[in-house]
Amino acid sequence: MKLDLAKTDKHYYAAPAAPVLRTFETYNYLAVTGSGAPLGDEYTDAVAALYRAAYGAKKLAKAADQDFVVPKLEGQWWVESDEPPLTVPREQWHWTLLIRMPDAVTPDMVSGVDFTQLTEGDAIQVMHRGPYSTEPETLARMEAFMHAEGLTMNGRHHEIYLSDPRKSADAAMRTILRHPVRRIAK
């Protein structure tokens, strides 16, 4: 039987329409870090490299009787500017693209990309429905929740892409948005 993290870890792969505070432990990922516009050449090459590595690890895990469903693509996003991130040209965005790996996958099973661990701890999580262009509305709700709860950012903006934009209509798109946070010292 194949392990499907999306089915066994709803805490990670599901989110309500209203922002909630959740805690995330340490997880293993395949990762590629780069910069530039989403869907630009560097981004597209990074996605291809991640999936090659993920399916290579899957093949090795299956041979060891530990088969799994390759999880969804994820991304952490940031800018190196004091300007509000969404005002910075997309060509200047930085990203780390990720695919979460089950515990059965070890660094020696991976080639061509980084094998890393990420611990986000407390984070605000919400389901964004619709095209990426309307994410600012959802991000504003996350920001309001963060301030109302006495929290501040404590890491990079994180997205989990539950829909494939090449196959889904804009209105049907689903993306989990996550902000690692910490309490504001009083």
Side-chain angles (χ1 to χ4, degrees), residues 4-22:
D4 186 345
L5 293 173
K7 291 180 180 174
T8 61
D9 193 353
K10 298 284 187 190
H11 178 78
Y12 188 96
Y13 288 102
V20 293
L21 184 63
R22 292 192 174 158

Side-chain angles (χ1 to χ4, degrees), residues 66-164:
Q66 296 184 334
D67 198 7
F68 64 92
V69 174
V70 171
K72 302 294 187 180
L73 179 68
E74 304 181 34
Q76 291 182 305
W77 296 88
W78 70 98
V79 297
E80 293 179 356
S81 168
D82 292 333
E83 299 297 317
L86 295 177
T87 66
V88 174
R90 295 163 59 102
E91 293 75 25
Q92 295 175 24
W93 289 2
H94 296 269
W95 39 261
T96 297
L97 298 178
L98 306 157
I99 296 179
R100 186 172 159 201
M101 289 287 105
D103 292 337
V105 175
T106 58
D108 61 314
M109 298 168 72
V110 175
S111 62
V113 301
D114 294 326
F115 183 91
T116 190
Q117 291 187 320
L118 178 63
T119 307
E120 290 181 300
D122 291 338
I124 297 170
Q125 182 158 296
V126 67
M127 180 68 70
H128 171 74
R129 293 185 183 274
Y132 301 131
S133 62
T134 62
E135 278 187 19
E137 299 160 17
T138 305
L139 293 169
R141 289 189 296 127
M142 292 175 78
E143 187 82 14
F145 178 87
M146 185 168 50
H147 290 297
E149 295 294 320
L151 303 167
T152 189
M153 288 288 290
N154 191 37
R156 295 179 176 154
H157 172 72
H158 187 159
E159 299 183 350
I160 303 171
Y161 308 106
L162 301 178
S163 304
D164 184 338

